[in-house]
Amino acid sequence: MIAETIALNEKGDVTLTAYIQPVEGEFRGIFERPAVLVLPGGGYMFCSDREADPVAFPYLKAGYDVFILRYSVGPDHAWPQPLEDYEKAMELIENRAEEWHVCKEKIAVIGFSAGGHLAGVAATMAQRRPAAAILGYAVLNDQAKELGEDLPNISGHVDEHTCPCFVFATRTDGVVKIQNSLDFLNALNRYSISFETHIYSYGGHGFSTGDHCVQSKSSLITERAYNWVEDSIGWLHEIFGEFGDQGMLPPVVKGHVNDDGEAWLSLDCTIGRVYGNPEARRVLADLFEEMEEKIPPFNPGMTFDDMMHTLSAYKLRELLCERNIGTDRFNEYDQRLQKIPNI
Amino acid sequence: MIAETIALNEKGDVTLTAYIQPVEGEFRGIFERPAVLVLPGGGYMFCSDREADPVAFPYLKAGYDVFILRYSVGPDHAWPQPLEDYEKAMELIENRAEEWHVCKEKIAVIGFSAGGHLAGVAATMAQRRPAAAILGYAVLNDQAKELGEDLPNISGHVDEHTCPCFVFATRTDGVVKIQNSLDFLNALNRYSISFETHIYSYGGHGFSTGDHCVQSKSSLITERAYNWVEDSIGWLHEIFGEFGDQGMLPPVVKGHVNDDGEAWLSLDCTIGRVYGNPEARRVLADLFEEMEEKIPPFNPGMTFDDMMHTLSAYKLRELLCERNIGTDRFNEYDQRLQKIPNI
Amino acid sequence: MIAETIALNEKGDVTLTAYIQPVEGEFRGIFERPAVLVLPGGGYMFCSDREADPVAFPYLKAGYDVFILRYSVGPDHAWPQPLEDYEKAMELIENRAEEWHVCKEKIAVIGFSAGGHLAGVAATMAQRRPAAAILGYAVLNDQAKELGEDLPNISGHVDEHTCPCFVFATRTDGVVKIQNSLDFLNALNRYSISFETHIYSYGGHGFSTGDHCVQSKSSLITERAYNWVEDSIGWLHEIFGEFGDQGMLPPVVKGHVNDDGEAWLSLDCTIGRVYGNPEARRVLADLFEEMEEKIPPFNPGMTFDDMMHTLSAYKLRELLCERNIGTDRFNEYDQRLQKIPNI
Amino acid sequence: MIAETIALNEKGDVTLTAYIQPVEGEFRGIFERPAVLVLPGGGYMFCSDREADPVAFPYLKAGYDVFILRYSVGPDHAWPQPLEDYEKAMELIENRAEEWHVCKEKIAVIGFSAGGHLAGVAATMAQRRPAAAILGYAVLNDQAKELGEDLPNISGHVDEHTCPCFVFATRTDGVVKIQNSLDFLNALNRYSISFETHIYSYGGHGFSTGDHCVQSKSSLITERAYNWVEDSIGWLHEIFGEFGDQGMLPPVVKGHVNDDGEAWLSLDCTIGRVYGNPEARRVLADLFEEMEEKIPPFNPGMTFDDMMHTLSAYKLRELLCERNIGTDRFNEYDQRLQKIPNI
């Protein structure tokens, strides 16, 4: 592993640390790696060491390259300086992506508390957007004002271009109120953005990975709170795809809950959307025939049309999988659909 | 184990199944058991067997008694019949609690989908309220209207008497929209009710425990979705207390996030609340002295008063635990505080 | 679920409790269920309730039917009475298998301590053998003598017909010495029997599932010891096959480590065995050609023959999977091989 | 984190890589760190990268410093060169322990396959012994001869000074036969050495951490095999003690199963040993009185002496914990006992 720390400003107090793992050779099928950019917390007053290296290790184990940004804090942090540090860091990573074998399209940010605020800004407002964001006990609504007058309320900036998010916190956090996470999740839902969330029953603020080397054993916190680490890795694999024998496998979770908002139809649109489109119905006639045959009506008087109406909010792919219908021809169906404008 | 099914109506299609475990003897320290009442889903059209027994088993393993209510469904389910079935079931359990060694004060409900709606009604509107509620991909907002015109929007009925809730669902549920869970969590937060929530990245509706005996292997669903079972058990132990050698241990999670809304002060009030009360400050003078000594000011010019202000949203107990201050005299402090009206 | 307790002797103190789950209907693809027969411990002096129902629940959750045998104990237990009770119980289960929809070929025993001794006897000496055995802190060597003069030393009775075993215990057990498990594992290995084992760092005897309702919180025992429950379920699914959409899927673990001891060749023989058989080499010529092409020699001077020699202890199926060679024609290869006598 | 690679020979192909984490400051209560020395496998022909860094990360996350030794391999590896490399590495670590804040007394080795052989040699024959050893699919019996004529059979070198060991492997390993692990465990048991072991149902050789970045998804291996990583960390915390608020907490597992082999008595001796010693009985008279009072005889005619005899293989501490007897005076009892020669 290469470990390198690069100063991002003259004073040298803004730095990017890079942990870069090798590719190919014994790492068969790995030609480039996805990456995680860590944004430690510290109330924009400092960058916590407890939320830096200890957070990097599990993602390194999972096969990711990891970067840690120590951004502008304290008297120097006049907004938007931290955001500019982030942009500079992402630019640097993109510039050296080929050298480092980092997959530019698969860089996630992970931020905690104030670092979670910065990660949220990255996900919603930055020029160089991450492909996924993990937000831990993060400042995500107008509580941001307590950290600095100019800090944006991130929940107000979510839109349909926001990346998938993994949001975790403890219910009883006495520092960053749980309403932050709830407001943000509501905003994500408004724009059909993919997300996962875990709000654990009790625990204080700033527990990092929860290992006893970073978190006092005497803290009042539920042990479940530490599951976010493994859960967030499982989630990243879903968003970015798993490591396969010949490069990375395709993602199993897309950026939006379904493709109803996309320009072209696909298997990931809802049944309502596909079945309601005459052209799609023509093009998938064989599939719908098979469905009619294999999905029995829910009650005697029901027609197939009625049933498709009842199931209209299902993703087409989901229903087919569950019923084992045409799964061997998914690619073909998808290609047929992707030629039909979604209108 | 005693297994008994009791008809709750004449027709015999509303039934309560009881799985009752022995106490004492080899079960040293167990004099009565907490219980879970299972409310299967099925759109108020049927009661799903996949959400009945299979759900009972893990709670039985954890030491709980389990009841399963098959409530009024189909043409007969004119609201509020299912709620009345619930009331009757709870009444019956309470009446036989002594015989069965069930702890009346520790009965949780768990409901799925439409059964989750009924569980939510129980938690917010019933005469006989459960002490905790587990709500799985549940109908919790005005989507209830789709199930029946008269069905209440539960999120609108949450108030400060609502029990602690554990809410889980999948992000992509195409049947019960995730907004149901989000609306309900917002309502719980508005009244400072304790909760835990897990919304998993993807998966269809109705996955029950996720074991392959109840859920097709070919379904598109994240494996993490099955963690709700163990997590809900851990959570119940926090709400009800763990089994101890001489009866149940005290709960570690109370019904509200803190005691700021209670009639008397306690260690579970926030620092702001306690430190802001002159009488409490007098009564805990020794403790505050110790705190002053042991918690260094965050920066040079800071007074102890400033620090208490900064920490005002922390629960007093939480801060003391984390800093190992006075933990051996917690009971005593709590008793002193509980004599002071919270005004 | 049907719960039924059947007396197996006149006195009524030997009983079989049956917990039978429904099939078909909502349990799509389940036509019959595998089963587990629980043999509680108690030093042949009593049958522990802590190792009866609490053990049944997790297997019920996993989709199994569960039986609990309360066998002859105390002054009445003159060997081989408990074994005869076991035989009677198995006979009864087999006789009612059709009625109960129990899969006769997939009945596992699970026994603890002295019950583990009985389970071990069942696995090695009974007329009606189980298809798998789970042995918890079990008496498996000549320590059996301490329980009764006539009790057999099970490790001495293992042979090539012994079923796959899952063996767990704690290193520091002060009652049943860990040498019991070690002797048994050695015997299993001698006959190439499939097994899995977990010996946990520390913990006393008789911890059952480890839930606090059956095991005092103040006991000195590692938390990992409780993993045996979930691990044994995962293992059973491997031995018996998982629940599939049209009946149970094929097992992924066979009774022996490889098929080198079987009468006919198969993909589960070692490379040495298959490649060393001229007939097999002729019949799989196309496969070996593909292997030669796709597996590069480990060093320059190496021939393909050398390589096959180096890899001779590998199971053929395993190597092919790992290298993604011919996996789509596995069934066909297997059929070709199964016509060749293994000599 | 400091990452540094140090050449241990002139040619530079034997190296020690050090990953050193900071102490104190935000890492409250950490003054020095325990460490893990990784010995990758590769048949003494190479040092596998898949068993180097990827193995380091989880221990780093758990708070340990990690070293990776790339020892002499290939034509140069004439035994005992790899052992000498190990000694040199340990010497270097000890020399720089103060600078690096490494706790010299708490260095574990972890080795895989041939590296597991080297780790086993370290644990049984080296001058500088590790305090714990984790041995993964390791060569531990006379199969070592296949790797090199002079390689020692480690199972034959276990004695009472061998450190606690964590041994894992898969049942079906076609390269290093499972008998290696079984022979070694038998030897450990012969000398009462503490251990934990996990032998998983099926899987090939060399699976490392099992993450898909190091192990092909298409390999035939049980998912449980990957639990060794977290389990070995839990085990190390037991052997070395957890991180506490003022330095490391005491270990919960000692090097031997009980203290019966030690020079002085202690609470960790068996009841047989303590109760059988007249001086110990005098010194603990108050404790035995309390036991007599609190532990009811197992049957009517039984005397307290009989009961102590029945329980003679129990560790005294274990029984007291389980029954909640005198736990608040454990330190005192231990001190009283440690003045009595164990004869």
Side-chain angles (χ1 to χ4, degrees):
Chain A
M1 183 180 71
I2 297 165
E4 185 181 349
T5 293
I6 302 156
L8 295 190
N9 66 351
E10 286 209 355
K11 204 173 154 193
D13 60 356
V14 173
T15 60
L16 184 71
T17 299
Y19 294 131
I20 306 293
Q21 303 197 64
V23 294
E24 305 197 58
E26 281 194 66
F27 297 98
R28 207 163 23 124
I30 303 186
F31 309 109
E32 56 180 18
R33 290 178 183 265
V36 171
L37 172 61
V38 180
L39 304 170
Y44 285 122
M45 298 303 288
F46 68 110
C47 282
S48 171
D49 286 339
R50 292 170 51 262
E51 292 161 351
D53 280 345
V55 169
F57 299 134
Y59 298 103
L60 286 164
K61 172 171 182 284
Y64 290 69
D65 289 324
V66 178
F67 300 91
I68 300 169
L69 175 63
R70 288 182 171 83
Y71 49 85
S72 299
V73 290
D76 311 336
H77 87 279
W79 191 258
Q81 194 54 53
L83 172 56
E84 282 164 20
D85 297 338
Y86 163 84
E87 298 279 11
K88 206 183 280 183
M90 283 295 264
E91 192 183 357
L92 190 156
I93 296 170
E94 286 173 20
N95 286 341
R96 294 185 61 178
E98 205 170 335
E99 168 197 351
W100 281 336
H101 304 286
V102 165
C103 175
K104 276 194 275 198
E105 288 72 35
K106 294 186 177 174
I107 303 176
V109 289
I110 174 168
F112 301 85
S113 192
H117 179 264
L118 184 50
V121 170
T124 55
M125 304 169 66
Q127 285 207 293
R128 291 180 170 77
R129 300 278 176 97
I134 301 169
L135 305 167
Y137 38 89
V139 179
L140 297 168
N141 66 10
D142 58 10
Q143 202 185 339
K145 293 281 166 287
E146 294 177 15
L147 288 172
E149 258 182 40
D150 304 330
L151 296 196
N153 172 345
I154 293 160
S155 295
H157 287 274
V158 170
D159 65 17
E160 69 271 25
H161 305 301
T162 302
C163 63
C165 294
F166 182 100
V167 177
F168 72 93
T170 48
R171 169 71 183 101
T172 59
D173 190 328
V175 177
V176 175
K177 302 294 170 55
I178 203 58
Q179 193 65 45
N180 282 275
S181 295
L182 295 178
D183 285 348
F184 189 69
L185 294 169
N186 269 299
L188 292 176
N189 192 32
R190 204 168 304 129
Y191 292 96
S192 298
I193 306 300
S194 292
F195 67 77
E196 173 151 325
T197 190
H198 301 273
I199 300 177
Y200 306 101
S201 59
Y202 73 104
H205 188 74
F207 51 88
S208 185
T209 62
D211 290 270
H212 291 148
C213 52
V214 294
Q215 162 80 357
S216 167
K217 257 187 110 130
S218 33
S219 297
L220 288 178
I221 183 164
T222 178
E223 292 224 335
R224 291 188 301 286
Y226 310 151
N227 293 343
W228 75 263
V229 182
E230 278 311 303
D231 285 352
S232 73
I233 288 170
W235 179 80
L236 271 186
H237 286 328
E238 292 170 359
I239 301 291
F240 286 166
E242 253 289 7
F243 290 95
D245 293 339
Q246 281 115 30
M248 297 196 79
L249 302 176
V252 298
V253 171
K254 291 185 173 183
H256 292 87
V257 169
N258 58 48
D259 279 359
D260 282 7
E262 300 297 313
W264 305 89
L265 292 181
S266 83
L267 270 188
D268 293 305
C269 289
T270 59
I271 288 177
R273 178 67 54 148
V274 178
Y275 196 73
N277 182 309
E279 173 69 4
R281 217 142 121 190
R282 200 184 53 75
V283 153
L284 291 192
D286 53 339
L287 178 64
F288 285 116
E289 227 163 272
E290 197 184 338
M291 288 170 73
E292 191 160 358
E293 198 176 301
K294 292 197 180 159
I295 308 181
F298 299 154
N299 58 56
M302 213 178 205
T303 66
F304 183 67
D305 263 20
D306 293 343
M307 273 203 19
M308 289 300 95
H309 184 73
T310 305
L311 297 166
S312 67
Y314 259 78
K315 258 172 62 169
L316 180 52
R317 183 192 301 271
E318 217 166 63
L319 182 71
L320 298 176
C321 272
E322 202 183 279
R323 302 297 176 122
N324 275 316
I325 298 173
T327 46
D328 49 334
R329 279 162 299 153
F330 270 18
N331 278 340
E332 190 203 316
Y333 293 140
D334 218 33
Q335 280 163 17
R336 288 195 219 160
L337 284 173
Q338 301 220 0
K339 286 176 192 141
I340 304 174
N342 179 9
I343 39 168
Chain B
M1 182 179 71
I2 297 166
E4 185 181 348
T5 293
I6 302 155
L8 295 190
N9 65 353
E10 286 208 356
K11 202 175 154 192
D13 60 355
V14 172
T15 61
L16 184 71
T17 298
Y19 294 131
I20 306 293
Q21 304 196 64
V23 295
E24 305 197 57
E26 282 195 66
F27 299 97
R28 202 157 35 118
I30 303 187
F31 309 108
E32 55 179 18
R33 291 178 184 265
V36 170
L37 172 61
V38 180
L39 304 170
Y44 284 121
M45 297 303 289
F46 68 111
C47 282
S48 171
D49 287 338
R50 294 170 49 261
E51 291 161 353
D53 280 345
V55 169
F57 300 133
Y59 298 102
L60 286 164
K61 172 171 182 283
Y64 290 70
D65 288 326
V66 178
F67 300 92
I68 299 170
L69 175 63
R70 288 182 172 83
Y71 48 87
S72 299
V73 290
D76 310 335
H77 87 281
W79 191 258
Q81 194 55 52
L83 172 56
E84 283 164 21
D85 298 338
Y86 163 84
E87 298 279 9
K88 205 182 284 184
M90 282 296 264
E91 192 182 358
L92 190 155
I93 296 169
E94 285 172 22
N95 286 342
R96 296 185 61 179
E98 206 168 333
E99 168 197 349
W100 281 336
H101 305 285
V102 165
C103 176
K104 274 194 276 200
E105 288 74 36
K106 295 185 178 175
I107 303 176
V109 288
I110 173 167
F112 302 84
S113 193
H117 179 264
L118 183 51
V121 170
T124 56
M125 303 169 66
Q127 285 206 294
R128 291 179 169 76
R129 299 280 175 95
I134 302 171
L135 305 167
Y137 38 90
V139 178
L140 298 168
N141 66 11
D142 57 11
Q143 201 185 340
K145 292 280 167 286
E146 296 177 14
L147 288 172
E149 255 182 42
D150 304 330
L151 296 197
N153 172 344
I154 294 160
S155 295
H157 287 273
V158 170
D159 65 16
E160 68 271 25
H161 304 300
T162 302
C163 63
C165 294
F166 182 100
V167 177
F168 71 92
T170 47
R171 169 70 183 102
T172 59
D173 190 327
V175 177
V176 175
K177 301 294 169 56
I178 203 58
Q179 192 67 44
N180 283 275
S181 296
L182 294 178
D183 285 349
F184 189 68
L185 296 169
N186 269 298
L188 292 176
N189 192 33
R190 205 168 303 129
Y191 291 95
S192 299
I193 306 301
S194 292
F195 69 77
E196 172 151 326
T197 191
H198 301 274
I199 300 176
Y200 306 102
S201 58
Y202 74 103
H205 188 74
F207 51 89
S208 184
T209 62
D211 290 271
H212 291 147
C213 53
V214 292
Q215 162 79 357
S216 166
K217 257 189 110 130
S218 33
S219 296
L220 288 178
I221 183 165
T222 178
E223 292 224 334
R224 293 188 299 286
Y226 310 151
N227 294 342
W228 76 264
V229 181
E230 279 311 302
D231 286 352
S232 73
I233 289 171
W235 179 80
L236 272 186
H237 286 328
E238 292 170 0
I239 301 290
F240 285 167
E242 253 290 6
F243 291 94
D245 292 340
Q246 281 116 30
M248 295 197 78
L249 303 176
V252 299
V253 170
K254 291 185 173 182
H256 292 88
V257 169
N258 59 49
D259 278 358
D260 282 7
E262 302 296 315
W264 305 90
L265 292 181
S266 83
L267 269 190
D268 293 305
C269 288
T270 59
I271 288 177
R273 180 67 54 148
V274 178
Y275 196 74
N277 182 309
E279 173 69 3
R281 217 141 120 189
R282 200 183 53 75
V283 152
L284 291 191
D286 53 340
L287 178 64
F288 286 116
E289 228 163 89
E290 197 184 336
M291 288 170 73
E292 189 160 0
E293 200 176 297
K294 291 199 179 156
I295 308 181
F298 300 155
N299 58 55
M302 214 178 204
T303 66
F304 183 66
D305 263 19
D306 293 343
M307 271 199 26
M308 289 300 95
H309 185 73
T310 306
L311 297 167
S312 67
Y314 258 81
K315 260 172 58 169
L316 180 52
R317 184 192 298 271
E318 215 166 64
L319 182 71
L320 297 177
C321 273
E322 201 184 281
R323 303 297 176 119
N324 275 316
I325 297 173
T327 47
D328 50 334
R329 278 162 300 153
F330 269 19
N331 277 341
E332 190 203 315
Y333 294 141
D334 217 34
Q335 280 163 15
R336 289 196 218 160
L337 283 173
Q338 300 219 0
K339 288 176 193 143
I340 303 174
N342 177 9
I343 41 169
Chain C
M1 181 179 71
I2 296 166
E4 185 180 350
T5 293
I6 302 157
L8 295 190
N9 66 352
E10 286 208 358
K11 204 173 153 193
D13 60 355
V14 173
T15 59
L16 184 71
T17 299
Y19 294 131
I20 306 294
Q21 304 196 64
V23 295
E24 305 198 59
E26 282 195 65
F27 298 97
R28 203 159 31 119
I30 303 187
F31 310 109
E32 55 180 18
R33 291 177 183 265
V36 171
L37 172 60
V38 180
L39 304 169
Y44 285 121
M45 299 302 289
F46 68 109
C47 284
S48 172
D49 287 339
R50 293 170 49 262
E51 291 160 353
D53 280 345
V55 169
F57 300 133
Y59 298 103
L60 287 164
K61 172 172 183 282
Y64 290 70
D65 287 326
V66 179
F67 300 92
I68 300 169
L69 175 63
R70 287 182 172 82
Y71 49 86
S72 299
V73 291
D76 311 335
H77 87 279
W79 192 257
Q81 194 54 54
L83 173 56
E84 284 164 19
D85 298 338
Y86 162 84
E87 298 280 10
K88 204 181 284 181
M90 282 297 262
E91 192 183 357
L92 191 155
I93 296 169
E94 285 172 22
N95 286 341
R96 295 184 63 178
E98 206 170 333
E99 169 198 347
W100 280 336
H101 304 286
V102 165
C103 176
K104 277 195 273 199
E105 290 73 36
K106 295 187 177 173
I107 303 176
V109 288
I110 174 166
F112 302 84
S113 194
H117 179 263
L118 184 51
V121 170
T124 56
M125 305 169 66
Q127 285 206 293
R128 289 181 171 76
R129 299 280 175 94
I134 301 170
L135 305 166
Y137 38 91
V139 179
L140 298 169
N141 67 10
D142 57 11
Q143 201 185 337
K145 293 281 168 285
E146 295 177 15
L147 288 173
E149 258 182 39
D150 304 330
L151 296 196
N153 172 344
I154 293 160
S155 295
H157 287 274
V158 170
D159 65 16
E160 68 271 26
H161 304 301
T162 301
C163 64
C165 294
F166 182 100
V167 177
F168 72 91
T170 47
R171 169 70 184 103
T172 58
D173 190 328
V175 176
V176 175
K177 301 294 170 55
I178 202 59
Q179 192 66 44
N180 282 276
S181 295
L182 294 178
D183 286 348
F184 189 69
L185 295 169
N186 269 297
L188 292 177
N189 192 32
R190 205 169 305 129
Y191 292 95
S192 298
I193 306 301
S194 292
F195 69 76
E196 172 151 326
T197 191
H198 301 274
I199 300 177
Y200 305 101
S201 59
Y202 74 103
H205 189 74
F207 52 89
S208 185
T209 61
D211 289 271
H212 291 146
C213 51
V214 293
Q215 162 78 358
S216 166
K217 257 188 108 130
S218 34
S219 296
L220 287 178
I221 184 164
T222 178
E223 292 225 334
R224 291 187 300 286
Y226 310 151
N227 294 341
W228 76 264
V229 182
E230 279 309 303
D231 285 352
S232 73
I233 288 170
W235 179 80
L236 272 186
H237 286 327
E238 291 170 0
I239 301 290
F240 286 167
E242 252 291 5
F243 291 94
D245 292 339
Q246 281 116 30
M248 295 197 78
L249 303 176
V252 299
V253 170
K254 290 185 171 182
H256 292 88
V257 169
N258 58 49
D259 278 359
D260 282 6
E262 301 296 315
W264 305 89
L265 292 180
S266 82
L267 269 190
D268 292 306
C269 289
T270 59
I271 289 176
R273 180 65 55 148
V274 178
Y275 196 73
N277 182 309
E279 174 69 3
R281 215 141 120 191
R282 201 182 53 74
V283 152
L284 291 193
D286 53 338
L287 178 64
F288 285 117
E289 225 163 276
E290 197 184 337
M291 288 170 73
E292 190 160 358
E293 199 177 299
K294 290 198 181 160
I295 308 181
F298 299 155
N299 57 56
M302 214 177 204
T303 67
F304 183 66
D305 263 19
D306 294 343
M307 273 202 21
M308 289 300 94
H309 184 73
T310 306
L311 297 167
S312 67
Y314 258 80
K315 259 171 59 167
L316 180 52
R317 185 193 298 272
E318 216 166 62
L319 182 71
L320 297 177
C321 272
E322 201 184 279
R323 302 299 175 120
N324 275 316
I325 297 173
T327 45
D328 49 335
R329 279 161 299 153
F330 270 18
N331 278 341
E332 189 205 316
Y333 293 140
D334 218 33
Q335 281 165 15
R336 289 195 217 160
L337 284 173
Q338 300 220 1
K339 288 176 192 144
I340 305 174
N342 177 9
I343 41 168
Chain D
M1 183 179 72
I2 296 166
E4 185 180 348
T5 293
I6 302 157
L8 294 190
N9 66 353
E10 284 208 357
K11 204 173 152 194
D13 60 356
V14 173
T15 60
L16 184 72
T17 298
Y19 294 131
I20 306 294
Q21 304 196 64
V23 295
E24 306 197 59
E26 281 194 66
F27 298 97
R28 209 163 23 124
I30 303 186
F31 309 109
E32 55 180 17
R33 290 177 184 264
V36 171
L37 172 61
V38 180
L39 303 169
Y44 284 122
M45 299 301 290
F46 69 109
C47 282
S48 171
D49 287 338
R50 293 171 47 264
E51 291 162 352
D53 279 345
V55 169
F57 300 133
Y59 298 103
L60 286 165
K61 172 171 183 284
Y64 289 70
D65 288 326
V66 179
F67 300 91
I68 299 169
L69 175 63
R70 288 184 171 81
Y71 49 86
S72 300
V73 290
D76 310 335
H77 87 281
W79 191 259
Q81 195 53 53
L83 174 55
E84 284 165 19
D85 297 338
Y86 163 83
E87 298 280 10
K88 204 181 285 185
M90 283 295 264
E91 192 182 358
L92 190 155
I93 295 169
E94 285 172 22
N95 287 341
R96 296 184 60 178
E98 205 170 334
E99 168 197 349
W100 280 336
H101 305 285
V102 165
C103 175
K104 274 194 276 200
E105 289 73 36
K106 295 187 178 173
I107 302 176
V109 288
I110 174 168
F112 302 84
S113 193
H117 179 263
L118 184 50
V121 170
T124 56
M125 305 169 67
Q127 287 206 292
R128 290 181 170 76
R129 300 278 176 97
I134 301 169
L135 305 167
Y137 39 89
V139 179
L140 297 169
N141 67 10
D142 58 11
Q143 201 184 339
K145 291 282 167 287
E146 295 177 14
L147 287 173
E149 258 182 39
D150 304 330
L151 296 197
N153 172 343
I154 293 159
S155 295
H157 286 275
V158 169
D159 66 15
E160 69 271 24
H161 304 301
T162 301
C163 63
C165 294
F166 182 100
V167 178
F168 71 92
T170 47
R171 170 70 183 102
T172 59
D173 191 327
V175 177
V176 175
K177 302 294 170 55
I178 201 60
Q179 193 65 46
N180 282 276
S181 294
L182 294 178
D183 286 348
F184 189 69
L185 295 169
N186 269 298
L188 292 176
N189 192 31
R190 206 169 302 129
Y191 292 95
S192 298
I193 305 300
S194 292
F195 68 77
E196 172 151 325
T197 190
H198 302 273
I199 301 177
Y200 305 101
S201 59
Y202 74 103
H205 188 74
F207 52 87
S208 185
T209 61
D211 290 271
H212 291 148
C213 52
V214 293
Q215 162 79 358
S216 166
K217 256 189 110 132
S218 34
S219 296
L220 288 178
I221 183 164
T222 178
E223 291 225 335
R224 292 187 299 285
Y226 310 151
N227 293 343
W228 75 264
V229 181
E230 278 311 302
D231 286 353
S232 73
I233 288 170
W235 179 79
L236 272 186
H237 285 328
E238 291 170 1
I239 301 291
F240 286 167
E242 253 290 5
F243 291 93
D245 292 340
Q246 281 115 31
M248 295 196 80
L249 303 175
V252 298
V253 171
K254 289 186 174 183
H256 293 88
V257 168
N258 58 49
D259 279 358
D260 281 8
E262 301 296 314
W264 304 89
L265 292 180
S266 82
L267 269 190
D268 292 306
C269 289
T270 59
I271 288 176
R273 180 66 54 146
V274 177
Y275 196 73
N277 182 309
E279 174 69 2
R281 217 141 120 190
R282 202 182 52 75
V283 151
L284 291 193
D286 52 339
L287 178 64
F288 286 116
E289 226 163 275
E290 197 183 338
M291 288 170 72
E292 190 160 359
E293 198 176 299
K294 292 199 179 158
I295 308 182
F298 300 153
N299 57 56
M302 212 176 205
T303 67
F304 184 66
D305 264 18
D306 294 342
M307 272 203 18
M308 289 299 94
H309 185 72
T310 306
L311 297 167
S312 67
Y314 258 81
K315 261 172 57 169
L316 180 51
R317 183 192 299 271
E318 217 165 63
L319 182 71
L320 297 176
C321 273
E322 202 183 280
R323 302 297 177 121
N324 275 316
I325 298 173
T327 45
D328 50 333
R329 279 162 298 153
F330 270 19
N331 278 341
E332 190 204 316
Y333 293 141
D334 217 35
Q335 279 164 17
R336 290 195 218 159
L337 284 173
Q338 300 222 358
K339 288 175 191 142
I340 304 174
N342 177 11
I343 40 169

